[in-house]
Amino acid sequence: MPSDPGLRLANITVTVRGHGETLPILAIPALAIDAGTSIGLAGPSGSGKTTLLHVIAGLLRPDHGTVVWDGSEVSRLSEAARASWRRRVVGMVFQDFLLVPELSALDNVLLPCGFSGFSNRAQRAPAIALLAELGITAPRRRAAAMSRGEQQRAAIARALLFRPKLILADEPTASLDAMTATAMTDLLVAQATATGATLVVVSHDTRLLSRMDRVVHLDRGRLA
Amino acid sequence: MNPWPMLIADLRAMRWTALLVMLLIAVAVAIGVSIGAQERALRQASARAADDLPLLIGAPGSQTQLVMTAAYLQIEAIPLIDGGLLNTLAADPRVAGVAPIAFGDIVRGWPVIGTTAPLVTAWGRLSPSEGRVFRAESEAVIGADVALPIGAEITPSHGVKAHGPVGTETKDEHARKHEGTVYTVVGRLPRRGTPWDRAILVPIETVWETHGLGNGHQIEDGPLGPPFDAKAVPGVPAIVVKPRGVADAYMLRSAFRQGGTMALFPAEVLVSIYRSIGDLRDVLLVVTALNNLVVLLAVLLVAVTLVGLRRRGYAMLRALRAPRSYVFLVIWLGVAILIAGGCVGGLALGWIAATLAAEWIAQVTGLHAVATPGWSKLRLVLILLLVGSALAVVPAWLAGRTPVSTALRES
Ligand SMILES: Nc1ncnc2c1ncn2[C@@H]1O[C@H](COP(=O)(O)OP(=O)(O)OP(=O)(O)O)[C@@H](O)[C@H]1O
Ligand SMILES: [Mg+2]
């Protein structure tokens, strides 16, 4: 067991350069998320929620500060090492899904098998089962032909398939009706509980947020 | 790593562009492949055609024309030389064999060549695959490609080039028929792969007689061939001489280079023709190489543009934990597949083009140029493939350069 299980963010700043000036878009002195707990990130549009998730996922290297997972500093790793860390630890639902439109829902979910060391063949049945659980009964339809809500659910399935220890979800219920949203929330929480995963969810959905152990608010890049 | 799902998605997304790119490469490769194949095959076939014509004697004029006429039976009206030379040469100790070549008549597109037995059997090298060599003035021996049966009776027409089966002659052909001259086909020669395969070989005596010049002998229907003892032996367009030795060959050539005749080694003339063909080929090869280079650059440009268009997808792959090597593999394989597909298609296309061209050349010249897919062609394609896949590294590398987060925000 690592000495300090969970996620620790310290002194994070992210700036962007534009028109000759540097604009801060994220400034977080400290944020600790214990392993196996869930946290909701809320805040107005443009407040830096997605940016924060990218920083946690190692997709974006902060200008300053550290991201530590289970006692090791992820933010200091090389890009290849961060990709390898993501492979082992992270499952992510992107705000705009990032599905491959030409591939079927199933192939999209199985796509990471191509580089994650999981066998495509072995994951096939679980993937179909997971999609069915998420209400997608025609897993061979092309993603481009699916509704936004279906696409969102396929994206969730892809994030959960390998039972990641850290689930990052960017507005996972934004395109869903209230009932489906509740079902998705149940599923996310249930899997996180079952696998002991840490869950970080960006959302405006108060019902989803109410299911989180804790909710923090972001405003103009700062924790409110 | 399994790049195929993503690769298939990419190809599906850009199927028309991908097809066009492959077609472009295929055409470029086909051009390169078919150019050299012809040249090499022609060179071999034409050398074969001149094999049995060691030394040619004709009236002064164009050397090339004389060779083209005698070796390739490109029948043109060329000036005659004194037929009496046949006797002179037959008696010359430096000469191992001598035969005339006379033409002008045609049966259904097959040239009728008047000569003597030694040339029919290529100085004894060939014997008829069917039947025998002619023994009388009314007999003919046909080349392997002449579609007539043994025993067929034919009447030549003067210089009419109509083709088709016997019995479908045109009016013009009928009008120019040498009525009264009938040959019976008595033998067929084995295939030589030269224009002579299309020739109908008849005794020189009959050709002379058909044109009202007598038969070259004192008596009618005597033995064929030299000596020709008529008071005035009719002229012939060309005489083929087989010298006894190399020294004899050169002496004979210089002897007959003056006094109203021209003597030449067809091989020598061919060498100079080859030289100019060779120069042409060098130019073509450079053009082909440039052509391939331009195509590769175009492909590279297309690949870079497409990868730019799919940038977000590749960023997505990396966001989905794919290592750079995976993205690299997807892109590189994609470009390499396009180039390989184009090369294979080009080889097929080039082979078809070469075959068609060879058929056409055989039709026109009678040269059976069998174009084999030469090793040098495959090497050209392999080089193209190697250079192409090496170039494919560029777009693959470019795709891995933008930070994931930035690339994800661009849409
Ligand atoms: N690469 C970048 N260049 C310029 N500006 C950026 C960049 N990345 C983020 N920003 C800006 O940072 C701010 C935060 O963006 P972010 O996407 O994190 O917001 P968000 O809270 O997820 O908003 P939403 O709820 O609309 O998704 C925005 O104003 C955005 O324009
Ligand atoms: Mg966002």
Side-chain angles (χ1 to χ4, degrees):
Chain A
M1 259 276 130
S3 53
D4 190 13
L7 197 60
R8 302 279 179 271
L9 273 65
N11 299 320
I12 298 287
T13 56
V14 175
T15 56
V16 291
R17 265 169 295 278
H19 306 293
E21 43 180 355
T22 49
L23 298 167
I25 56 172
L26 202 63
I28 296 180
L31 179 64
I33 306 166
D34 289 332
T37 66
S38 60
I39 184 170
L41 291 178
S45 177
S47 57
K49 305 183 294 294
T50 298
T51 307
L52 178 54
L53 274 195
H54 282 189
V55 168
I56 294 174
L59 295 174
L60 181 63
R61 201 199 282 267
D63 299 83
H64 298 286
T66 52
V67 177
V68 175
W69 170 257
D70 280 357
S72 56
E73 193 181 329
V74 178
S75 49
R76 237 192 18 210
L77 299 175
S78 69
E79 195 189 306
R82 269 182 289 147
S84 146
W85 171 76
R86 274 203 299 282
R87 257 193 312 278
R88 282 180 287 111
V89 176
V90 183
M92 187 157 179
V93 183
F94 294 91
Q95 187 168 9
D96 39 10
F97 320 145
L98 295 185
L99 298 174
V100 182
E102 294 82 16
L103 293 182
S104 70
L106 181 60
D107 285 339
N108 264 292
V109 172
L110 291 174
L111 188 62
C113 289
F115 44 80
S116 292
F118 288 92
S119 141
N120 191 304
R121 193 176 294 221
Q123 293 297 323
R124 208 166 182 83
I128 293 175
L130 182 56
L131 280 167
E133 214 179 322
L134 287 158
I136 294 180
T137 47
R140 291 197 168 73
R141 272 177 68 207
R142 288 192 314 128
M146 303 194 306
S147 76
R148 275 190 72 75
E150 288 169 328
Q151 292 182 15
Q152 179 140 53
R153 284 178 278 154
I156 294 172
R158 186 178 59 190
L160 298 185
L161 183 64
F162 301 148
R163 306 182 154 260
K165 282 291 174 209
L166 176 58
I167 302 172
L168 307 175
D170 200 345
E171 308 203 21
T173 60
S175 300
L176 304 174
D177 61 278
M179 225 170 78
T180 317
T182 308
M184 290 308 111
T185 309
D186 288 346
L187 197 122
L188 267 178
V189 173
Q191 171 153 347
T193 312
T195 58
T198 308
L199 183 60
V200 184
V201 181
V202 169
S203 188
H204 299 289
D205 181 347
T206 48
R207 268 193 288 186
L208 195 168
L209 289 174
S210 72
R211 302 283 302 276
M212 299 293 109
D213 295 335
R214 181 156 69 110
V215 175
V216 295
H217 288 267
L218 266 182
D219 191 16
R220 274 168 286 172
R222 291 166 192 283
L223 292 174
Chain B
M1 280 200 271
N2 173 17
W4 295 110
M6 191 61 196
L7 195 55
I8 290 167
D10 275 359
L11 291 178
R12 215 180 269 169
M14 314 181 281
R15 52 186 170 277
W16 296 119
T17 321
L19 255 168
L20 273 178
V21 167
M22 282 206 258
L23 205 69
L24 184 75
I25 300 173
V27 169
V29 170
I31 291 173
V33 169
S34 48
I35 278 176
Q38 282 321 307
E39 187 267 343
R40 204 163 52 95
L42 261 182
R43 194 186 275 244
Q44 288 168 354
S46 59
R48 210 162 47 224
D51 267 355
D52 297 321
L53 309 175
L55 177 67
L56 267 181
I57 298 175
S62 158
Q63 299 201 351
T64 313
Q65 193 185 25
L66 185 62
V67 174
M68 290 316 255
T69 323
Y72 307 120
L73 305 181
Q74 300 290 302
I75 308 301
E76 290 176 59
I78 60 173
L80 305 182
I81 49 170
D82 176 16
L85 281 176
L86 286 167
N87 295 330
T88 319
L89 283 160
D92 196 308
R94 296 169 294 189
V95 172
V98 59
I101 300 181
F103 36 71
D105 288 344
I106 282 195
V107 172
R108 301 276 62 216
W110 298 303
V112 176
I113 308 296
T115 185
T116 51
L119 198 59
V120 175
T121 60
W123 319 106
R125 191 169 61 80
L126 300 174
S127 55
S129 56
E130 250 184 282
R132 55 174 175 79
V133 178
F134 52 68
R135 283 185 207 137
E137 287 190 13
S138 62
E139 293 179 342
V141 176
I142 55 180
D145 285 347
V146 177
L148 289 173
I150 302 291
E153 300 202 329
I154 47 179
T155 298
S157 304
H158 195 81
V160 181
K161 283 201 177 175
H163 292 261
V166 176
T168 60
E169 288 86 348
T170 59
K171 255 198 195 133
D172 187 32
E173 227 172 330
H174 269 300
R176 286 161 166 259
K177 259 196 178 165
H178 294 291
E179 294 301 344
T181 305
V182 176
Y183 296 105
T184 307
V185 178
V186 296
R188 183 192 301 279
L189 292 170
R191 172 176 294 278
R192 307 154 90 167
T194 75
W196 285 69
D197 286 339
R198 290 191 312 172
I200 297 176
L201 307 180
V202 301
I204 180 79
E205 286 87 350
T206 326
V207 174
W208 282 329
E209 201 148 18
T210 304
H211 294 87
L213 304 167
N215 70 354
H217 296 276
Q218 294 280 9
I219 52 163
E220 295 265 323
D221 295 320
L224 298 178
F228 300 103
D229 51 6
K231 268 195 218 85
V233 183
V236 287
I239 294 174
V240 191
V241 177
K242 184 176 166 63
R244 280 192 198 281
V246 177
D248 300 322
Y250 280 91
M251 281 194 283
L252 283 166
R253 184 178 67 154
S254 52
F256 287 92
R257 261 181 168 175
Q258 55 234 329
T261 56
M262 166 173 80
L264 54 89
F265 301 127
E268 222 174 34
V269 175
L270 284 180
V271 165
S272 78
I273 294 176
Y274 291 160
R275 201 171 298 131
S276 41
I277 293 180
D279 291 347
L280 186 67
R281 186 199 45 177
D282 289 347
V283 172
L284 285 177
L285 278 184
V286 171
V287 170
T288 311
L290 280 176
N291 167 36
N292 287 346
L293 190 70
V294 168
V295 166
L296 275 181
L297 285 179
V299 169
L300 186 66
L301 199 69
V302 169
V304 169
T305 313
L306 290 181
V307 167
L309 284 175
R310 304 277 292 173
R311 190 175 47 221
R312 217 170 111 82
Y314 300 131
M316 174 215 71
L317 280 179
R318 285 161 62 206
L320 285 178
R321 313 166 290 235
R324 269 180 197 224
S325 53
Y326 180 82
V327 180
F328 187 92
L329 190 64
V330 167
I331 298 173
W332 180 82
L333 259 180
V335 180
I337 281 176
L338 290 191
I339 295 177
C343 284
V344 170
L347 275 179
L349 214 66
W351 185 76
I352 292 172
T355 310
L356 288 180
E359 236 160 67
W360 178 76
I361 288 173
Q363 285 260 315
V364 174
T365 66
L367 286 177
H368 287 273
V370 182
T372 44
W375 170 237
S376 66
K377 296 300 128 194
L378 281 179
R379 203 175 49 199
L380 187 86
V381 172
L382 276 179
I383 288 175
L384 193 68
L385 204 60
L386 279 178
V387 173
S389 35
L391 284 179
V393 165
V394 174
W397 178 76
L398 282 178
R401 266 173 37 102
T402 348
V404 180
S405 183
T406 318
L408 284 180
R409 280 185 192 275
E410 295 165 352
S411 41

